[in-house]
Amino acid sequence: MGPMRDVMYINGGEPLRGEITVRGAKNFVSKAMVASLLADGPSELRNVPAIRDVAVVQGLLELHGVKVMVDDAAGTLQLDPTDVESAHVADIDAHAGSSRIPILFCGPLLHRLGEAFIPDLGGCRIGDRPINFHLDILRQFGAVVDKQESGIHIHAPTRLRGTKLALPYPSVGATEQLLLTAVRAQGVTELSGAAIEPEIMDLINVLQKMGAIISVDTDRVIRIEGVDVLHGYRHTSLSDRIEAASWASAALATGGDITVRGAVQPDMTTYLNTFRKVGGGFEVLDDGIRFFHPGGDLHSIVLETDVHPGFMTDWQQPLVVALTQAKGLSIVHETVYENRFGFADALRGMGATIQVYRECLGGHPCRFGQRNFRHSAVISGPTPLAAADIEVPDLRGGFSHLIAALAAKGTSTVKGIDLIDRGYEHFTDKLTALGADFSRD
Ligand code: EPU
């Protein structure tokens, strides 16, 4: 992909109308792929989207000797871990910068090979994104962590042992790290303060199919009884509720009407409540949800992002674009990532009125309050958006820029578009289906 491939020219100002389909959740599929490493035989994953993050995890699995067969059209993956072996450090390193998934290989690799290696981690630039929880968890299971310049070397001198631990914050990745490590550790593991996102519940479904014993108790406690052997699984991924909400926000921001086949109501309850409060209309169908702008003014709101069952951080940026079209002052307090309002600069350049503050506004004090992070936003609307030249900062911020360009009159140039391919399947085809006027070089 040369630099010219990364640019999109968008003639905005027209409502997006039509129908699109979302498939499996990016933030589950990649983890289910890693889980296949734990099995003594092949697994099959269905409803897999053709996105770059899937290709990255496929590449990493293949480096470790997993045979992966992909059928993009059918959305199926066959994963055979029979010949798993240690990968060369340099090869893993070649994938550094493109994904944070390598950290989740540790538990399965420690069980199978007794060692694992993590290169410098990539992922979106939305905060520091430390891995201290992950490393603490691995140490508690008995692993030895050795930080070197090339990356982090981890080994297990003996079989990993179950443990009792509490997370200081319900981190999605750390909870997944614990699950993928505990299922084959010796004895019982108990985690309190666990994340309970639907994607984690679906990972638990997969692990249970493989032979794991996991119970989810009230109050964020997860208990795992380690077993000696796990088998391959067959599983259909839950739907991508972040992508579904992104299109819903696009419908609202452009004054359009989008039916999202594959959107699932129970995974989006909190989003739907907010969508309704802003003044959006929706209709839950048997196989999806129709999202539309019912005409008239949109309403300003006070919103706080949170871990599940709260309003997802990944829903925040696309919705903020719609809030620029709402009447009055909206307040958005981001409590999951310290640095997720960078995308607002570009919106301001397009005519939006958005101020970003260090204080915790409109909600409860959060971890970022006293630490100098601009993590609260005040949006005043409605303001017409004007076309601009913008550069994609991260996956969700990038999609939000796209929505802003589609809502803005005139021709916008959006650079760095390939970042969006990481998590939005065939999004240009979907835009075409929705009547968008654009070209991509
Ligand atoms: N955190 C730590 N230490 C750690 C791990 C996390 O301090 O060792 C902090 C993070 O810095 C952050 C908070 O805990 O402030 C929550 O992070 P979490 O671990 O929950 O996030 P993650 O597992 O790295 C996943 C998704 C994100 C999504 C978050 C929250 C994947 C691959 N990524 O990240 O998705 O925003 O959960 O739901 O599953 C995206 O799809 O664009 C995306 C960024």
Side-chain angles (χ1 to χ4, degrees), residues 273-284:
N273 285 334
T274 304
F275 193 80
R276 178 164 281 157
K277 285 196 249 181
V278 175
F282 64 88
E283 185 187 349
V284 179

Side-chain angles (χ1 to χ4, degrees), residues 103 106-107 110-111 116 118 130-148 151-165 167 174 177-178 181-182 185 189:
I103 183 91
C106 292
L110 288 171
H111 287 304
I118 315 165
I131 55 169
N132 52 327
F133 300 165
H134 295 257
L135 298 180
D136 286 350
I137 287 171
L138 292 167
R139 286 194 194 96
Q140 288 226 34
F141 278 98
V144 176
V145 176
D146 181 16
K147 291 188 191 173
Q148 294 180 3
I152 303 169
H153 294 262
I154 302 173
H155 70 276
T158 56
R159 184 175 171 190
L160 299 179
R161 299 176 306 276
T163 176
K164 187 168 174 162
L165 44 88
L167 281 178
Q177 178 76 260
L178 180 122
T181 307
T189 296

Side-chain angles (χ1 to χ4, degrees), residues 26-28 30-31 53 99-101 104 124 126-135 169-176 195 197 199 241-242 306-308 312-314 317 335-338 340 367-368 394-396 422-424:
K26 158 177 122 26
N27 290 349
F28 161 76
S30 45
K31 326 297 170 58
D53 266 21
S99 169
R100 281 172 58 81
I101 298 295
L104 291 178
C124 285
I126 52 177
D128 259 356
R129 305 199 70 176
I131 55 169
N132 52 327
F133 300 165
H134 295 257
L135 298 180
Y169 184 80
S171 149
V172 169
T175 301
E176 292 162 341
E197 269 63 6
E199 292 75 17
R241 65 199 172 111
I242 305 177
D306 206 348
V307 295
H308 190 76
M312 286 189 94
T313 169
D314 302 281
Q317 291 147 308
T335 78
V336 180
Y337 288 112
E338 66 273 31
R340 227 173 186 181
R367 297 172 292 152
F368 308 135
D394 61 73
L395 177 63
R396 307 298 169 192
R422 266 192 54 204
Y424 289 89

Side-chain angles (χ1 to χ4, degrees), residues 23-153:
R23 294 204 282 185
K26 158 177 122 26
N27 290 349
F28 161 76
V29 164
S30 45
K31 326 297 170 58
M33 290 173 74
V34 177
S36 73
L37 271 173
L38 290 160
D40 62 359
S43 292
E44 182 180 297
L45 188 58
R46 305 194 200 103
N47 200 27
V48 176
I51 51 176
R52 204 165 67 243
D53 266 21
V54 168
V56 167
V57 183
Q58 176 187 349
L60 285 166
L61 285 168
E62 285 169 347
L63 283 179
H64 288 93
V66 179
K67 289 192 192 67
V68 185
M69 282 193 348
V70 191
D71 182 337
D72 268 342
T76 55
L77 278 181
Q78 314 281 342
L79 305 138
D80 185 350
T82 313
D83 301 321
V84 166
E85 56 188 53
S86 290
H88 295 291
V89 169
D91 293 337
I92 307 176
D93 220 15
H95 282 72
S98 51
S99 169
R100 281 172 58 81
I101 298 295
I103 183 91
L104 291 178
F105 277 63
C106 292
L109 290 179
L110 288 171
H111 287 304
R112 281 198 82 128
L113 306 169
E115 61 174 3
F117 169 74
I118 315 165
D120 277 344
L121 293 176
C124 285
R125 286 166 287 167
I126 52 177
D128 259 356
R129 305 199 70 176
I131 55 169
N132 52 327
F133 300 165
H134 295 257
L135 298 180
D136 286 350
I137 287 171
L138 292 167
R139 286 194 194 96
Q140 288 226 34
F141 278 98
V144 176
V145 176
D146 181 16
K147 291 188 191 173
Q148 294 180 3
E149 214 165 283
S150 55
I152 303 169
H153 294 262

Side-chain angles (χ1 to χ4, degrees), residues 333 357-370 375-376:
H333 181 205
Y357 296 91
R358 295 189 169 83
E359 291 75 16
C360 299
L361 295 184
H364 308 91
C366 78
R367 297 172 292 152
F368 308 135
Q370 306 303 325
H375 71 294
S376 293

